Amino acid sequence: MEYLEFELPIKELEDQLQKCMVIGEESDVDVTETCSQIEKKLEETRKDIYKNLTAWQRVQLSRHPNRPYTMDYIKAICGDTFLELHGDRNVKDDKAMVGGLGKIGDQSYMFIGQQKGYNTKTRQYRNFGMANPEGYRKALRLMKSAEKFGIPVVCFIDTPGAYPGIEAEERGQGEAIARNIMEMTRLKVPIIVVIIGEGASGGALGIGVGDKVLMLENTWYSVISPESCSSILWRSWEYKEQAAEALKLTAADMKKQKLVDEIVKEPLGGAHSNREKTFETVKNKISSHYEELKKLSPKELVKTRMDKYSDMGVFNG
């Protein structure tokens, strides 16, 4: 288990508990009382730390190396029913954007999302979850296929941004994202978007237009990352914590601004501390929202979605 800087008091107490149990096993000393005291202190410390997280600490949690990624969610939710689909039928298959058909119960869904890697090799393979234009075009191709067969779309967002390389710009990165946003607003099937990690800039928006946008508790959604914001405003990365606060990028901020529809609670300690519980919660949320959305006709669906996005940022003075 890896610990973030602000989680170190938890690590110390867990180490103490481990030592205490070892002493109890290796000697005749009764350590039950001591162990229960440490356990109590551990529980209190956990609650205290995770109930008072700053915006920057939530950003750190969203990037936790043990945090589940898109394919983890898809495999846990769909099991063996998932069939991955590849390629944009134009340039190549983008490994940073994954997608395919899968089932929750008897209902088929088209799953799409950015995928990060687990180690150096897979991170390079997945381009750190930063999609190229062909990734967004692949996503659009899958959405159009879903529309053709009347299958709802589920998008998992987890990206530090779209790939900013020169070759991506040459192949039309901006146009690919803009086209996705336009096409998603008028897609005639339900779209459920779940932000499971980082939601940075246009890279997230390229698959982020939905009838229902859900945000896990320890994720962020913003036009720019705190580090980049800090380097632009203060010419240094040192002020990333202030930038995170100023950007209002947490789930609570997004809900308050009416930019997302619901905050999905995570287990104490983040999504990675109890993966099964997180997967089950997300699965149930997708199903319950789809049950609501399927009552709408395609025309009502598109109108409601367009009205929702048209109302964003409107100020009533």
Side-chain angles (χ1 to χ4, degrees), residues 34-305:
T34 316
C35 283
S36 62
Q37 281 177 349
I38 297 170
E39 276 174 356
K40 194 180 172 190
K41 184 87 170 38
L42 182 60
E43 193 59 33
E44 284 169 7
T45 308
R46 265 208 190 100
K47 280 180 183 167
D48 194 44
I49 286 173
Y50 294 118
K51 275 185 180 162
N52 302 299
L53 291 173
T54 65
W56 173 245
Q57 284 168 343
R58 289 196 191 277
V59 171
Q60 287 177 293
L61 268 179
S62 76
R63 297 169 175 166
H64 199 288
N66 300 332
R67 197 174 172 88
Y69 296 139
T70 295
M71 287 305 288
D72 298 319
Y73 281 92
I74 291 172
K75 282 172 184 168
I77 289 169
C78 304
D80 298 334
T81 65
F82 182 66
L83 171 71
E84 191 174 349
L85 301 168
H86 299 272
D88 71 336
R89 302 290 184 270
N90 193 4
V91 179
K92 61 177 180 179
D93 182 42
D94 190 339
K95 302 293 186 282
M97 187 76 78
V98 295
L101 290 160
K103 281 188 170 186
I104 299 177
D106 294 329
Q107 177 60 49
S108 294
Y109 292 86
M110 181 67 81
F111 290 94
I112 297 162
Q114 289 106 350
Q115 174 68 19
K116 292 177 175 176
Y118 302 94
N119 52 34
T120 308
K121 196 176 177 182
T122 55
R123 281 178 193 132
Q124 286 177 323
Y125 178 72
R126 297 286 183 189
N127 200 28
F128 299 86
M130 296 188 290
N132 277 283
E134 50 272 21
Y136 292 101
R137 288 175 184 135
K138 167 162 88 170
L140 182 58
R141 180 177 78 80
L142 299 186
M143 285 180 218
K144 285 291 186 185
S145 294
E147 182 182 52
K148 185 178 177 182
F149 297 107
I151 297 167
V153 175
V154 176
C155 296
F156 290 114
I157 292 178
D158 187 13
T159 180
Y163 184 58
I166 192 162
E167 63 275 28
E169 297 298 334
E170 285 169 351
R171 290 197 298 276
Q173 185 70 287
E175 187 275 339
I177 292 170
R179 178 165 292 279
N180 275 24
I181 294 169
M182 182 185 76
E183 295 286 357
M184 285 181 90
T185 55
R186 58 191 193 190
L187 207 72
K188 293 183 177 69
V189 289
I191 308 171
I192 298 164
V193 175
V194 190
I195 299 158
I196 57 169
E198 300 184 89
S201 193
L205 275 181
I207 57 166
V209 179
D211 301 293
K212 294 291 175 189
V213 179
L214 318 179
M215 201 167 168
L216 265 69
E217 209 176 354
N218 298 311
T219 61
W220 62 277
Y221 199 21
S222 173
V223 70
I224 193 169
S225 71
E227 293 93 332
S228 302
C229 177
S230 171
S231 64
I232 290 168
L233 294 182
W234 288 281
R235 300 278 185 272
S236 159
W237 277 30
E238 294 297 307
Y239 301 92
K240 52 188 181 284
E241 292 177 39
Q242 281 129 285
E245 289 293 335
L247 283 165
K248 301 282 180 233
L249 42 65
T250 65
D253 294 320
M254 287 287 126
K255 182 80 172 71
K256 196 176 170 186
Q257 307 279 3
K258 295 187 171 63
L259 298 172
V260 300
D261 299 290
E262 189 181 344
I263 299 169
V264 179
K265 271 195 83 62
E266 292 183 23
L268 195 70
H272 57 281
S273 64
N274 188 340
R275 285 173 162 233
E276 283 67 34
K277 190 179 175 185
T278 308
F279 296 148
E280 193 60 33
T281 308
V282 170
K283 179 180 174 179
N284 293 337
K285 290 286 179 193
I286 291 168
S287 295
S288 63
H289 281 295
Y290 175 64
E291 287 304 312
E292 288 297 307
L293 292 169
K294 74 175 185 184
K295 295 170 188 170
L296 301 174
S297 69
K299 203 172 178 179
E300 289 171 317
L301 209 57
V302 173
K303 187 185 183 308
T304 311
R305 194 185 305 142

